Amino acid sequence: MNSTTDIVWLQDDLRIADNPLLHFVSPPEQLLCLYVLDQRWLESAMTGENTPRLGPARLRFLWQSLMELRGELLQRGSDLLVRIGDPAEVVIEMAYSLNAREVRVAAHSGYEESQQIARVADHATLLRIESGYLIDADQLPFESGNLPPSFSAYRRRVEKHCEILAPKSAPITLPSWPDAPRGFPPIKSVCEASAAWQPDQRQGFAFVGGESAGHRRLQHYLWKQNGPDSYKKTRNGLLGANFSTRFSPWLARGCLSARQVHKEVKAWEAVHGSSESSYWIVFELLWRDYFHRAGQLEGASLFGGESLPEASEAFNRWRNAETGVPFIDAAMLELKTTGWISNRARQNVASFLVKDLGVDWRLGAGWFEHCLIDYDVASNWGNWRYVAGVGRDPRQDRYFNVLKQAGHYDPKGLYVTHWLPELASLPVGLERHQPWRVAPTEFDAPCVLPDEWQRWLIDTAELHATELQETDE
């Protein structure tokens, strides 16, 4: 009698604990755990460029996560097979060769990933499972097609009607490995640039892929740094390791689940008391859920078109940190050399690209896809649509005056000089954000100076003059 064999097709769920794919009502006798790196991610989506969608920083973090996951699976009597190619073709081939009882996969919010899953469903028995959300689809107080048009409306309804379930424990053992290949290629054979990539030491925090690293960060931020006590006040910071949770890379790859973070926040609140600040961490997890639900509904329209336009001069100056605006250039340099920037920086560089430079938002979203360690399709493209005013909550007034933002969030110019040391010779303060005015012989004017900036600069100068006059009197 033939043994029953299941395939667990892993995507953005690279963890052992709280992974419903590894919990069975009727366990198979054999289990093959499979991850397929989509070959298209190693190719460029931008016309006439050699800029892979999966950049070296994210690939490095992904490979670290896969290596640790394999070790955890081996400890439980299983293993991991990693292939590169067309995901649906690889999964179908494995299902046929093993005469698999079923293929288990997490439902995905990405259009391409969902299309791959649908292709497999045409050729094999496939079980889609909810994984990684705070609130599963069958818990929501509305049908999936009736997602509220704004996050605020979504949040109000789910907070009123939904209970966030506890995360599942890790399995102690798993079914044995079938007669099938094991292991995966070294990262150097996939991308030499990724194998050699190291983040800029100025980033102040080292991201390492894998479930254990994610849990170490979770424990450190909550219990050693007491982060929930001040998160809402510090989350818009720019420098240092602990102004934000920095959970996002592990959440994006599924090394951490949203419910694991939620459970730990609630445990912290049980000791220290709940507050608006600790709640704000859960608030951000709800935002993440909402973007993923929206991505499921948007399908291909999430990307605003089938192909990205050609890179323009303005776009190239933006991505190469050559706009002449220190607040923008510092953030873009940090992004390029570390694979991560703060939420405040992301909002500013996105607004600047779309509203000040007039560049198609899709180019910005594509560059973030290439660079970000914490890239996930729904959050990235959903956030860019939101800034551009073309998302589910369309508004054209989401504009960030970057000089005003710089003056508020980096009043001493410490962030910009951290990444652009040539500014350190300028006086501490707003002068570092407009060097073309302070030292015009040393610094060129920025590539764009919108009317909104000019008005704010005039207002600031008038206010400063008034303060001096009052002081003299």
Side-chain angles (χ1 to χ4, degrees):
M1 183 176 179
N2 293 332
S3 300
T4 58
T5 302
D6 286 358
I7 295 175
V8 166
W9 176 13
L10 296 158
Q11 298 184 95
D12 291 328
D13 33 34
L14 305 182
R15 64 186 180 277
I16 296 294
D18 196 33
N19 191 337
L21 297 178
L22 301 176
H23 289 260
F24 305 87
V25 174
S26 174
E29 295 171 273
Q30 297 179 332
L31 179 68
L32 182 132
C33 297
L34 174 66
Y35 182 90
V36 186
L37 177 64
D38 195 329
Q39 180 67 44
R40 292 175 298 177
W41 295 356
L42 302 175
E43 301 166 359
S44 178
M46 298 183 185
T47 304
E49 293 211 10
N50 185 26
T51 306
R53 292 168 57 184
L54 177 59
R58 181 156 59 100
L59 178 57
R60 179 175 178 265
F61 188 91
L62 170 63
W63 236 244
Q64 290 171 340
S65 301
L66 290 169
M67 289 172 64
E68 181 177 322
L69 177 63
R70 187 186 185 198
E72 293 293 328
L73 290 169
L74 284 167
Q75 289 182 35
R76 289 160 174 80
S78 186
D79 204 340
L80 178 65
L81 172 63
V82 176
R83 289 281 182 85
I84 301 171
D86 180 298
E89 288 183 3
V90 173
V91 174
I92 292 168
E93 176 191 347
M94 295 304 303
Y96 278 146
S97 65
L98 296 173
N99 191 25
R101 179 181 67 169
E102 67 180 13
V103 175
R104 302 164 63 87
V105 66
H108 206 286
S109 56
Y111 175 72
E112 291 178 343
E113 292 84 352
S114 296
Q115 292 294 103
Q116 295 280 1
I117 291 171
R119 285 173 57 197
V120 173
D122 290 337
H123 297 273
T125 301
L126 186 134
L127 180 63
R128 292 181 181 88
I129 300 174
E130 289 273 297
S131 176
Y133 293 98
L134 273 183
I135 302 165
D136 287 344
D138 59 5
Q139 295 177 268
L140 296 173
F142 42 78
E143 297 296 324
S144 59
N146 294 325
L147 184 71
S150 70
F151 168 68
S152 296
Y154 169 85
R155 179 179 60 84
R156 287 192 296 268
R157 293 189 65 180
V158 299
E159 287 184 337
K160 181 178 180 180
H161 297 287
C162 298
E163 176 187 359
I164 297 175
L165 302 178
K168 296 178 179 292
S169 59
I172 298 173
T173 61
L174 288 167
S176 62
W177 191 258
D179 183 15
R182 301 168 182 252
F184 51 96
I187 190 171
K188 187 174 182 179
S189 68
V190 181
C191 175
E192 289 192 6
S194 186
W197 189 86
Q198 291 291 332
D200 192 304
Q201 294 299 311
R202 290 175 290 176
Q203 71 173 335
F205 184 85
F207 289 106
V208 177
E211 189 171 3
S212 63
H215 282 279
R216 284 196 301 272
R217 175 58 185 173
L218 179 61
Q219 294 295 318
H220 184 274
Y221 181 77
L222 267 64
W223 298 103
K224 292 187 177 180
Q225 291 297 322
N226 209 30
D229 188 53
S230 58
Y231 172 71
K232 191 172 188 294
K233 298 176 184 176
T234 64
R235 61 186 290 272
N236 285 310
L238 298 166
L239 282 172
N242 297 307
F243 62 83
S244 77
T245 68
R246 296 192 185 241
F247 299 156
S248 56
W250 293 286
L251 286 166
R253 300 287 70 78
C255 303
L256 277 178
S257 75
R259 286 178 184 168
Q260 288 174 324
V261 176
H262 176 266
K263 178 184 177 182
E264 203 64 27
V265 170
K266 291 301 176 183
W268 184 91
E269 289 180 337
V271 174
H272 299 278
S274 60
S275 66
E276 184 182 20
S277 188
S278 61
Y279 161 76
W280 214 256
I281 298 176
V282 179
F283 177 92
E284 295 293 347
L285 293 173
L286 287 171
W287 249 120
R288 179 177 177 272
D289 265 23
Y290 181 74
F291 272 128
H292 281 261
R293 296 301 179 194
Q296 290 174 338
L297 290 180
E298 297 290 345
S301 65
L302 179 69
F303 307 99
E306 292 190 4
S307 60
L308 297 179
E310 289 190 20
S312 63
E313 180 182 354
F315 170 71
N316 285 332
R317 294 187 71 164
W318 176 81
R319 67 169 161 177
N320 292 324
E322 297 172 350
T323 70
V325 181
F327 199 51
I328 299 301
D329 291 346
M332 295 308 294
L333 182 60
E334 181 183 11
L335 172 64
K336 190 173 184 178
T337 60
T338 73
W340 191 89
I341 50 175
S342 69
N343 176 66
R344 180 55 49 180
R346 295 183 199 205
Q347 291 176 315
N348 274 274
V349 299
S351 174
F352 184 81
L353 180 72
V354 176
K355 303 296 176 64
D356 291 327
L357 295 181
V359 173
D360 191 317
W361 65 271
R362 295 176 299 159
L363 282 173
W367 183 246
F368 270 32
E369 179 177 353
H370 168 76
C371 291
L372 284 174
I373 292 175
D374 64 0
Y375 169 84
D376 78 56
V377 59
S379 298
N380 182 67
W381 291 83
N383 268 304
W384 272 94
R385 282 163 58 88
Y386 185 82
V387 170
V390 297
R392 294 180 60 80
D393 186 14
R395 281 169 39 192
Q396 294 301 317
D397 60 348
R398 294 191 179 100
Y399 175 77
F400 288 76
N401 181 322
V402 297
L403 287 188
K404 187 175 181 179
Q405 290 273 308
H408 184 75
Y409 293 103
D410 187 30
K412 295 182 179 180
L414 299 180
Y415 174 69
V416 293
T417 54
H418 185 75
W419 291 100
L420 305 170
E422 62 270 23
L423 299 173
S425 61
L426 300 179
V428 174
L430 188 60
E431 289 84 355
R432 291 178 173 181
H433 292 290
Q434 43 182 331
W436 64 92
R437 301 174 68 88
V438 181
T441 59
E442 298 177 43
F443 298 94
D444 294 333
C447 60
V448 62
L449 191 62
D451 291 341
E452 288 85 351
W453 294 14
Q454 294 280 24
R455 287 198 295 271
W456 183 73
L457 287 171
I458 292 171
D459 292 344
T460 302
E462 290 176 349
L463 177 62
H464 185 58
T466 301
E467 290 173 343
L468 288 175
Q469 183 180 15
E470 291 174 349
T471 302
D472 292 339
E473 293 174 351

